[in-house]
Amino acid sequence: MPIDYTFETFNDLGLPQPLNADVAASMVKHSGLTSADVVFAAGGGTDAERHALTWLLATYVPQPYKKATNHQILPLTATSVGQVVLAYDANRRATATLVGRGLPAGLEPPYREPAQLTQWLKDTYALAGITGQWTGEQLVKLHTALGLVPEADRPALRGVLIQRVAALQSHDGHDKGKFSYERGPWAGSLGTLKLADAIFAEDGIGFYGGLTSRACLPSVRGILHEVGHAVESASCRTEARNNAAWVVESTGGRQYRASEHVPDNLVTEAIQLDTDNEALGKLGTGLPNAAARAEFETLCDTIEKIQSWITSAENGTFQQEGVFSEVKSHLAQALTLNIWQTYRQEIVRWCDAQIREARWRTKFVTPRGNNITPCLRDFVQFVHDGGVGTNLTPYAQTSYGELFAEAYSFWLADPDAVERHDRRLRQYFDKAAYRVGD
């Protein structure tokens, strides 16, 4: 079954004054509930809180009536709010459970000053940066979300740029947050995680967890959803970025740190075959003997063949890794004269780059040309083989990638909710079965 609770944007009616046992009982009678119980899971409550919870339970009865559970932030007094679970069963029996007072508390940050906390987050998670306009409260929520990410998954955040934006223009449902990255074997960036105003808009309305796990703000779970995309794509992004760093360094460029962006223009230049055909033509004139001329012809034929492969790749047809290994082996035997050394070294370098690209495509591109990571491929197989329900949430049903991100975020925010959906899905994450392709 789907996640078995939600939260609603209720009309803010305000608590009536005065609010006593008689007022609360009258509202219960008017609501049609057969019983209305109050539980103080957060510790002993006051009479005023009990009256408020009873009144709220009767006020927000689902219309039309249905079995439902809501995790709401609701007023307890004129000046305080609480984390309240409103549960309505099929027989019109209802229970209000106070699981916490105030808003759900985040993880205590090492610094409260925004600039210090920003720098700490960048250093701790090796982020490329944190940009945009952040309030101190929003940074604490970001700190809380990232702090819930298991230690073994945190390398997925390395080199990611986190951007705070006002809004996201999206046609795929990502209007609150979006993790994106360039899909290709030479991507020099490790991705961008954008968070819009909308991701924080529900933090005063509802919460996740709270009964058997720590209550979690909607913004925290939303951030964890995007982190889930980063975790799923980590091996793909990391290998592409390492390719980009290697190919730039192979042309004499500087070394790049593991979390550092490699400029696209340098990568584009470095993956080209750099052979001066005019200079090569001059070398080919006046060669001393037939053996030298034969080596020259071999070199020219190889360059011509490579140019045909480059043209084919531009049209979407790529060579297998073994083709480039054969070229390297052939040139090592066929070109013995020092006059060809510069060309031989450049062709070998270019072949090594093509081998890296071929390996990347073997791992991360399907025969039909679609991108998929080993993590997602394994997850899809797990769901198919086990008949695991894809209806964890409505959004989870839009794609397997979104199912993974939703499951990952709920596993961290409210693991028991994932278990109630399907025990096997929780076990999949508990056992870290998703950590493949590293």
Side-chain angles (χ1 to χ4, degrees), residues 105-398:
L107 301 180
E108 183 61 29
Y111 303 99
R112 284 285 176 179
E113 200 280 318
Q116 288 181 302
L117 181 54
T118 297
Q119 189 61 51
W120 184 89
L121 289 168
K122 287 170 59 178
D123 293 344
T124 300
Y125 298 101
L127 301 169
I130 299 176
T131 63
Q133 299 298 314
W134 295 78
T135 66
E137 182 181 345
Q138 290 166 356
L139 283 169
V140 170
K141 292 172 182 178
L142 176 64
H143 166 260
T144 297
L146 299 188
L148 294 175
V149 176
E151 192 78 31
D153 291 344
R154 294 181 182 181
L157 296 167
R158 183 185 297 128
V160 170
L161 175 65
I162 300 181
Q163 292 183 330
R164 181 72 176 80
V165 298
L168 285 169
Q169 300 298 322
S170 174
H171 302 292
D172 58 3
H174 285 89
D175 58 343
K176 298 177 181 178
K178 185 174 180 64
F179 180 78
S180 60
Y181 64 98
E182 180 185 347
R183 287 165 168 77
W186 301 107
S189 168
L190 283 162
T192 301
L193 196 166
K194 294 183 179 181
L195 300 173
D197 293 348
I199 203 166
F200 301 103
E202 296 176 328
D203 284 348
I205 298 172
F207 61 95
Y208 295 100
L211 287 172
T212 57
S213 63
R214 180 180 187 148
C216 175
L217 287 167
S219 63
V220 171
R221 193 194 73 82
I223 294 169
L224 290 172
H225 173 100
E226 303 307 330
V227 171
H229 286 304
V231 169
E232 176 262 308
S233 62
S235 61
C236 171
R237 294 181 293 111
T238 300
E239 186 162 328
R241 186 258 163 222
N242 290 345
N243 286 346
W246 175 87
V247 80
V248 170
E249 293 166 13
S250 75
T251 61
R254 72 173 181 85
Q255 291 187 334
Y256 289 84
R257 299 187 306 274
S259 61
E260 195 174 5
H261 171 74
V262 184
D264 292 342
N265 63 315
L266 297 183
V267 176
T268 300
E269 182 178 345
I271 59 177
Q272 306 303 315
L273 177 66
D274 184 16
T275 54
D276 187 338
N277 291 338
E278 183 177 348
L280 178 60
K282 292 179 180 179
L283 281 177
T285 61
L287 292 172
N289 52 51
R293 289 192 291 273
E295 290 192 9
F296 174 73
E297 291 297 328
T298 296
L299 179 57
C300 291
D301 289 346
T302 301
I303 293 174
E304 183 178 351
K305 184 183 297 183
I306 287 174
Q307 293 297 342
S308 72
W309 292 339
I310 292 173
T311 301
S312 295
E314 291 171 350
N315 294 322
T317 301
F318 302 94
Q319 305 300 317
Q320 297 298 312
E321 174 184 342
V323 170
F324 306 109
S325 296
E326 289 175 5
V327 170
K328 291 172 57 179
S329 177
H330 176 62
L331 291 186
Q333 298 176 10
L335 301 182
T336 62
L337 299 176
N338 288 335
I339 56 175
W340 319 124
Q341 182 177 358
T342 299
Y343 292 92
R344 184 173 62 245
Q345 289 175 342
E346 173 59 13
I347 291 173
V348 167
R349 184 197 72 85
W350 183 86
C351 284
D352 285 338
Q354 301 312 302
I355 289 172
R356 283 176 169 265
E357 176 169 345
R359 289 175 179 173
W360 188 93
R361 292 188 181 281
T362 298
K363 289 182 183 179
F364 305 115
V365 181
T366 69
R368 294 185 177 184
N370 299 317
N371 290 96
I372 189 167
T373 64
C375 173
L376 189 57
R377 184 186 295 115
D378 183 85
F379 180 70
V380 171
Q381 192 68 47
F382 159 74
V383 171
H384 279 181
D385 290 350
V388 175
T390 61
N391 62 336
L392 180 70
T393 67
Y395 194 48
Q397 295 177 277
T398 60

Side-chain angles (χ1 to χ4, degrees), residues 7-16 27 55-63 70 72-75 86 88 204-206:
F7 50 81
E8 307 284 347
T9 304
F10 290 147
N11 293 328
D12 185 7
L13 302 177
L15 296 174
M27 180 58 74
W55 185 87
L56 290 164
L57 188 61
T59 298
Y60 293 119
V61 170
Q63 299 295 335
N70 290 339
Q72 302 288 152
I73 303 297
L74 294 173
L86 303 177
Y88 304 88
I205 298 172

